[in-house]
Amino acid sequence: ARCAKLEELYRKRIRIFHSDHPENPTAKEGVAVVLNKQLVTTENANETVVVPGRALQVEVPMGRGETRNILCVYAPTSNGEIERCEFFHQISEFYETHRRVPRPQIMGGDFNNTEEGIDRLPMSNPDRSVPALDALKVEMGFKMLDGWREINPTDRCYTFQRGTGEAAVCSRLDRIYVTPNIFNFARQWQIEVPMVRTDHRMVSVQVTTASAPKRGKGRPVFPLSLLQDKKLARNMKS
């Protein structure tokens, strides 16, 4: 109901795809993909629920016959590494059994694990669910790349913090993976504080296509308000 209300309120601007928890839709889990109608075509966009409340794929038309398949994930954390392993295996099994569903070229969300020691403070051994995540990335094709880490191989930046002071634990839980081909058309990988209240930082990337038209500076436009300028009007007449 909230989704329908938002879409009605901003019907000229956004379209929302979402998958909620099957038993408790308003209190736990849930994933969503929001498309900005001013930036992308939403007319023929469609969704595929991979894991209810935890994994949702949206196919977005990019023009000239190209599409982008985006997988939004929210890995479990309550029951730890074993539950995460099962979750990543569950996604892999979905694509194995649904051959007609295209593999995603972009996979992003909260993975609730870290792949390398540098992504956690204090540093620790990689999460035991990482091999399952690696297998999933291979299943998607050519092993998807962690774009931010590829661009910043030695930098430290975290998206989640628990505790304060000496007891603080920081992790880069939120990541965006892309196929090698998409990586060549991706730029502006960022981790920043979002404009909404949340305990996570936002990761973002700008993705384009090989067929995208070249955009210049645009053409100059005469402000209509200047027509009321008497001095300008006299000069134009002369």
Side-chain angles (χ1 to χ4, degrees):
R2 291 178 63 192
C3 175
K5 186 176 181 180
L6 283 171
E7 280 202 316
E8 175 62 25
L9 187 62
Y10 301 104
R11 60 182 177 276
K12 293 183 178 180
R13 296 183 58 189
I14 63 173
R15 185 176 177 188
I16 305 172
F17 298 93
H18 70 99
S19 174
D20 49 51
H21 189 275
E23 299 171 3
N24 200 346
T26 61
K28 62 187 294 187
E29 301 171 14
V31 287
V33 174
V34 183
L35 300 183
N36 187 334
K37 292 182 177 181
Q38 296 174 327
L39 300 178
V40 296
T41 302
T42 64
E43 213 169 284
N44 296 316
N46 60 79
E47 65 179 346
T48 302
V49 176
V50 179
V51 179
R54 288 207 173 274
L56 173 71
Q57 179 168 310
V58 175
E59 183 178 21
V60 184
M62 300 294 289
R64 301 192 182 188
E66 293 191 70
T67 59
R68 290 289 177 266
N69 293 287
I70 304 167
L71 178 63
C72 174
V73 304
Y74 176 32
T77 182
S78 301
N79 296 324
E81 298 170 335
I82 295 177
E83 189 180 16
R84 279 192 291 280
C85 287
E86 293 176 352
F87 170 68
F88 295 132
H89 287 314
Q90 193 175 358
I91 297 177
S92 293
E93 290 175 359
F94 175 87
Y95 288 103
E96 288 177 6
T97 56
H98 296 76
R99 293 292 180 178
R100 292 187 178 182
V101 177
R103 300 295 196 272
Q105 300 128 319
I106 302 170
M107 176 172 66
D110 182 355
F111 292 86
N112 271 313
N113 66 10
T114 54
E115 294 191 272
E116 304 175 41
I118 194 174
D119 289 325
R120 185 177 172 88
L121 186 69
M123 294 179 66
S124 63
N125 294 326
D127 192 283
R128 285 187 294 175
S129 66
V130 168
L133 175 58
D134 281 339
L136 174 61
K137 290 188 291 181
V138 172
E139 167 70 22
M140 297 307 158
F142 307 109
K143 189 166 184 178
M144 302 183 91
L145 304 172
D146 176 356
W148 187 89
R149 177 54 69 204
E150 290 288 323
I151 297 296
N152 307 281
T154 60
D155 289 3
R156 291 177 179 269
C157 195
Y158 309 106
T159 65
F160 179 74
Q161 177 179 329
R162 178 183 289 112
T164 57
E166 295 183 358
V169 176
C170 303
S171 307
R172 193 168 66 90
L173 303 179
D174 307 87
R175 303 184 291 277
I176 299 174
Y177 295 94
V178 296
T179 59
N181 180 52
I182 296 297
F183 182 75
N184 294 327
F185 297 97
R187 61 190 179 193
Q188 294 186 19
W189 295 89
Q190 295 180 339
I191 298 175
E192 55 192 339
V193 178
M195 298 179 67
V196 295
R197 187 176 180 181
T198 174
D199 57 354
H200 284 249
R201 287 191 169 191
M202 182 176 70
V203 295
S204 62
V205 62
Q206 190 177 106
V207 176
T208 185
T209 66
S211 61
K214 183 177 179 180
R215 295 181 62 181
K217 296 180 180 179
R219 59 183 182 181
V221 178
F222 189 89
L224 294 179
S225 59
L226 287 181
L227 293 177
Q228 307 301 320
D229 188 295
K230 295 182 179 180
K231 183 177 180 181
L232 176 63
R234 285 196 300 268
N235 290 334
M236 290 175 68
K237 287 179 180 179
S238 65

